[in-house]
Amino acid sequence: MRIFSGIQPTGRKHLGNFIGAIVQYVEGQQRAADAGDVAIFCVVDLHAMTVPWQPAEMRERVYDTAAILLAAGLDPEKCIFIRQSDVPEHTELTWTLGAVTAHGDLNRMHQFKEKSAKQKELVSADLFTYPVLMAADVLAYRANEVPVGDDQRQHVELMRDVAIRFNERFGDTLVVPELKIPAVGARIMDLQDPTSKMSTTGGSTEGTVYVLDDAKTVEKKFKRAVTDSDDPPRIAKDQSKPGVSNLIDILAAARGITPDEAIASLADARGYGDLKMATANAVNEMLEPVRTRYAEIRQDEDALEEIFAAGATKARAITREVMADVRAATGVGPRTRVPAS
Ligand code: AQP
């Protein structure tokens, strides 16, 4: 059971990233180790180059994101923790996989459509081929499982198609990975617009809870969360109640219980105010230790670089072998099978 997932170093990480992805990472590193395998987690700086970025800030954001992941519980002794650009096989495999990726399939990607519409100056070729790099990230490790939020479903389906097409064309070389989305919290919604997902680039600051927001700010954002005008208020999950349903999911995910249990815990609530406070408290309890550890870890950039260097060495022990198999299968490179140096 090998696990791979990546996270972008763009902006500040929010509650959707935390519940949809980071909580799954921490659980996954243990599960992979228990199964005698390994989980690989990657800060995907190359993916961050698909939309405009500030070179002077890129490295800072990578350190920020790395520190959040380590503070949340990723342990570089237990998993392989890397920065994407440190492992060149990701980009080499991207080129090879591009040969078995249909242009038409890339054209259908929701994320490309949404993000390209927002670009004012240049829609880069990298934004278009983003899903191929994401496929290479995972396939370079022969990972079995990809823990992500629901918004990444289409990209994981594409990477499965790409792996299948590669194997059909060149022989059984790559592993076809499975999507893993959390049972609760696969799509955390914006608190001010609960019909849109909480996001780094889309939503409002008011409706987005950041992992590093202080406890008071978190409380304020939940207190102002949009609910509905049902009279009497009804704490229930229902398509017609996106705001309340979102709060129930967040409460459940933060406490590690089911939505039904979260609803039952509020049987005596007097209204949505109690739901909002219970959710804010649960989120603060979940994030408080992360914020404290973050402050310590983020200070030591040399230590973060050492962690990345050690991770890259472990990662390349896997990816060089996979890439050597890919080169041999596709007839590229020297006659004798040699792992890349
Ligand atoms: N709202 C969400 N609910 C659950 N999971 C989510 N993820 C993102 N938003 C939600 C999951 O977080 C992981 C990392 O996502 P990313 O690397 O794309 O990071 P990001 O760009 O900061 O996240 P956003 O908010 O998704 O960015 P934009 O604004 O670009 O759309 C992924 O596993 C993702 O599924």
Side-chain angles (χ1 to χ4, degrees):
M1 168 53 61
R2 187 168 296 171
I3 295 173
F4 181 97
S5 196
I7 188 160
Q8 293 208 58
T10 41
R12 297 173 283 172
K13 293 294 118 182
H14 54 70
L15 194 58
N17 303 137
F18 197 84
I19 291 174
I22 297 172
V23 169
Q24 292 204 84
Y25 297 176
V26 178
E27 178 272 330
Q29 76 174 345
Q30 190 58 49
R31 199 157 40 82
D34 291 345
D37 210 316
V38 70
I40 304 106
F41 299 108
C42 181
V43 181
V44 290
D45 52 350
L46 300 178
H47 279 285
M49 297 168 75
T50 57
V51 290
W53 80 99
Q54 294 301 329
E57 285 178 13
M58 173 73 97
R59 210 160 279 114
E60 297 297 312
R61 298 293 86 82
V62 169
Y63 293 144
D64 295 347
T65 305
I68 286 183
L69 293 172
L70 295 170
L74 286 192
D75 176 354
E77 299 295 320
K78 236 186 231 175
C79 67
I80 299 178
F81 185 60
I82 54 169
R83 170 170 50 201
Q84 188 181 31
S85 58
D86 293 339
V87 182
E89 288 74 28
H90 290 231
T91 41
E92 185 180 350
L93 185 57
T94 301
W95 185 256
T96 307
L97 295 180
V100 288
T101 305
H103 182 275
D105 287 346
L106 292 178
N107 243 338
R108 278 190 282 280
M109 294 293 116
H110 307 310
Q111 185 174 291
F112 175 71
K113 286 182 192 162
E114 283 157 22
K115 291 202 172 175
S116 58
K118 286 183 200 158
Q119 300 313 314
K120 294 194 177 70
E121 284 174 12
L122 174 90
V123 177
S124 70
D126 282 351
L127 184 62
F128 187 67
T129 53
Y130 179 117
V132 189
L133 177 59
M134 183 169 160
D137 292 338
V138 176
L139 302 181
Y141 295 86
R142 297 199 170 107
N144 311 95
E145 190 179 289
V146 191
V148 284
D150 185 62
D151 59 323
Q152 293 298 322
R153 184 185 288 273
Q154 198 185 28
H155 286 160
V156 176
E157 277 161 12
L158 180 94
M159 85 174 59
R160 286 173 51 81
D161 291 345
V162 167
I164 291 167
R165 200 172 296 130
F166 184 96
N167 288 345
E168 281 172 359
R169 170 89 173 79
F170 300 109
D172 223 0
T173 311
L174 301 172
V175 168
V176 182
E178 301 289 334
L179 169 78
K180 182 155 185 304
I181 58 171
V184 183
R187 186 173 280 262
I188 300 296
M189 310 307 270
D190 187 287
L191 299 187
Q192 288 299 313
D193 174 11
T195 57
S196 305
K197 86 168 182 117
M198 194 176 282
S199 90
T200 305
T201 52
S204 59
T205 313
E206 280 260 284
T208 309
V209 175
Y210 295 103
V211 174
L212 300 179
D213 276 346
D214 61 49
K216 280 236 148 54
T217 305
V218 170
E219 197 179 301
K220 201 161 31 158
K221 287 179 179 177
F222 277 104
K223 275 187 177 160
R224 291 186 186 156
V226 168
T227 48
D228 54 54
S229 49
D230 279 4
D231 191 11
R234 205 162 49 87
I235 299 178
K237 274 196 73 172
D238 187 326
Q239 272 194 346
S240 67
K241 298 170 68 65
V244 170
S245 301
N246 189 37
L247 292 174
I248 292 169
D249 277 349
I250 295 173
L251 175 60
R255 288 226 189 113
I257 57 178
T258 65
D260 283 345
E261 287 166 340
I263 293 167
S265 74
L266 287 159
D268 297 330
R270 282 155 310 188
Y272 295 146
D274 288 354
L275 168 64
K276 292 177 183 182
M277 273 316 291
T279 310
N281 290 339
V283 167
N284 273 329
E285 268 169 42
M286 175 175 72
L287 296 182
E288 192 50 47
V290 180
R291 294 191 281 247
T292 309
R293 280 197 294 271
Y294 173 87
E296 292 158 21
I297 295 168
R298 179 62 182 86
Q299 284 173 23
D300 196 344
E301 294 181 357
D302 290 345
L304 291 171
E305 284 293 350
E306 279 169 29
I307 289 171
F308 280 141
T313 303
K314 287 196 263 178
R316 294 201 72 203
I318 301 172
T319 56
R320 290 170 69 236
E321 292 297 326
V322 174
M323 205 55 229
D325 288 345
V326 166
R327 285 168 155 237
T330 51
V332 167
R335 195 168 37 185
T336 35
R337 180 192 175 284
V338 259
S341 53

